Amino acid sequence: MSEVQVFHDNFNNGEADQFEKEKYLVVKGFLDDPLLSTAYAYALRKSQSGTVAPGDSQVPGTPSCYGDTLMETLLELFRPRMEELTGLRLHPTYSYFRVYQHGDVLEAHKDRKSCEISLTLTLGYEASKPWPIFFELDGHSVPVELLPGDAIVYRGTELKHWRERFEGVRSAGVFLHYVDQNGPFSDWKYDKREDRKHGKRKAVRSGMRHTLNYVDGSIRRAWALFKKLLLR
């Protein structure tokens, strides 16, 4: 492989206009291999390691993790792309991932202040079809189906969203959150975490070391392919 393509470079000037108008934007093929398969394998392995929360108030009993080092790396890596999609200058706040299980339901909700601009990215799933996420738009329920690597960018504090009962085996997704640097929630940069104020390079290095504890040799080689990209 001669180069690593982290995400498709297929954006256009109309995407930011659409986001401003609709408050959401579906991005097909946001993330490519090898990073996509690496992140999916990592999320599955870590969810089975006993080192993540066994659930949270939204989805009890489902493995989830706030501020994981690999996902924090993605949070930083994707910020420039998120700024192009939204037309906004953004501060990263935090990452979160879940590995949903059969029977899980995500109740309808709006997000907290640090989730002003959010990305939901499907890493992978074991199911016969994509598991839709629903948004309330102009009084109507709109389902959005995301294949592995697909994402939706949305105003999490404004748009109510939810998922109905999951009928597959498992579905892994990561949620990356940002705030507008010039908006009312700009003080929520890094979710007000003191340990994250040292910035991108520390998070990337830590994420790389931590990830290698959870993936096999073939995925380690894939991770090495874009080491220079992550640290540039």
Side-chain angles (χ1 to χ4, degrees), residues 113-152:
K113 294 177 180 179
S114 56
C115 310
E116 181 184 15
I117 307 295
S118 294
L119 171 81
T120 290
L121 171 65
T122 297
L123 300 177
Y125 53 76
E126 292 179 44
S128 60
K129 58 183 180 180
W131 184 34
I133 180 172
F134 290 83
F135 288 85
E136 185 178 276
L137 301 170
D138 297 324
H140 300 285
S141 299
V142 178
V144 176
E145 294 187 347
L146 302 174
L147 295 171
D150 292 348
I152 184 166

Side-chain angles (χ1 to χ4, degrees), residues 207-224:
M208 292 169 65
R209 290 194 300 269
H210 194 63
T211 299
L212 297 185
N213 293 327
Y214 290 93
V215 296
D216 60 25
S218 63
I219 298 177
R220 291 187 191 193
R221 290 190 293 273
W223 184 260

Side-chain angles (χ1 to χ4, degrees), residues 83-207:
E83 291 182 337
E84 291 168 339
L85 292 169
T86 62
L88 303 171
R89 294 288 293 171
L90 301 174
H91 287 312
T93 57
Y94 73 96
S95 66
Y96 200 88
F97 82 82
R98 284 197 190 100
V99 180
Y100 293 98
Q101 304 175 100
H102 180 79
D104 280 345
V105 174
L106 179 65
E107 299 293 342
H109 67 286
K110 294 181 181 179
D111 296 326
R112 60 189 180 90
K113 294 177 180 179
S114 56
C115 310
E116 181 184 15
I117 307 295
S118 294
L119 171 81
T120 290
L121 171 65
T122 297
L123 300 177
Y125 53 76
E126 292 179 44
S128 60
K129 58 183 180 180
W131 184 34
I133 180 172
F134 290 83
F135 288 85
E136 185 178 276
L137 301 170
D138 297 324
H140 300 285
S141 299
V142 178
V144 176
E145 294 187 347
L146 302 174
L147 295 171
D150 292 348
I152 184 166
V153 182
Y154 55 98
R155 288 191 171 273
T157 56
E158 297 183 41
L159 296 183
K160 184 177 293 186
H161 49 284
W162 67 94
R163 292 183 190 262
E164 297 179 348
R165 178 183 167 88
F166 179 51
E167 299 299 342
V169 177
R170 61 180 58 88
S171 179
V174 60
F175 319 108
L176 306 177
H177 303 294
Y178 305 83
V179 290
D180 183 352
Q181 290 187 15
N182 299 306
F185 309 129
S186 61
D187 58 327
W188 283 89
K189 180 180 180 180
Y190 292 127
D191 210 22
K192 299 187 178 183
R193 290 175 289 167
E194 291 296 324
D195 63 326
R196 286 293 284 113
K197 291 181 179 180
H198 298 289
K200 175 180 177 180
R201 188 169 293 269
K202 180 178 179 181
V204 169
R205 289 194 177 119
S206 176

Side-chain angles (χ1 to χ4, degrees), residues 18-113:
Q18 181 181 340
F19 179 79
E20 181 179 11
K21 178 181 178 181
E22 304 292 343
K23 299 183 181 181
Y24 78 100
L25 183 67
V26 177
V27 187
K28 295 295 185 180
F30 181 88
L31 183 62
D32 290 330
D33 282 330
L35 186 49
L36 175 61
S37 57
T38 299
Y40 181 47
Y42 172 86
L44 293 184
R45 289 286 298 276
K46 188 161 187 182
S47 71
Q48 298 164 1
S49 69
T51 62
V52 301
D56 56 32
S57 60
Q58 288 187 322
V59 192
T62 286
S64 58
C65 188
Y66 172 97
D68 172 83
T69 46
L70 172 61
M71 304 309 174
E72 292 287 296
T73 299
L74 300 185
L75 179 72
E76 297 282 4
L77 178 65
F78 296 151
R79 182 175 59 83
R81 175 68 164 132
M82 288 289 289
E83 291 182 337
E84 291 168 339
L85 292 169
T86 62
L88 303 171
R89 294 288 293 171
L90 301 174
H91 287 312
T93 57
Y94 73 96
S95 66
Y96 200 88
F97 82 82
R98 284 197 190 100
V99 180
Y100 293 98
Q101 304 175 100
H102 180 79
D104 280 345
V105 174
L106 179 65
E107 299 293 342
H109 67 286
K110 294 181 181 179
D111 296 326
R112 60 189 180 90
K113 294 177 180 179

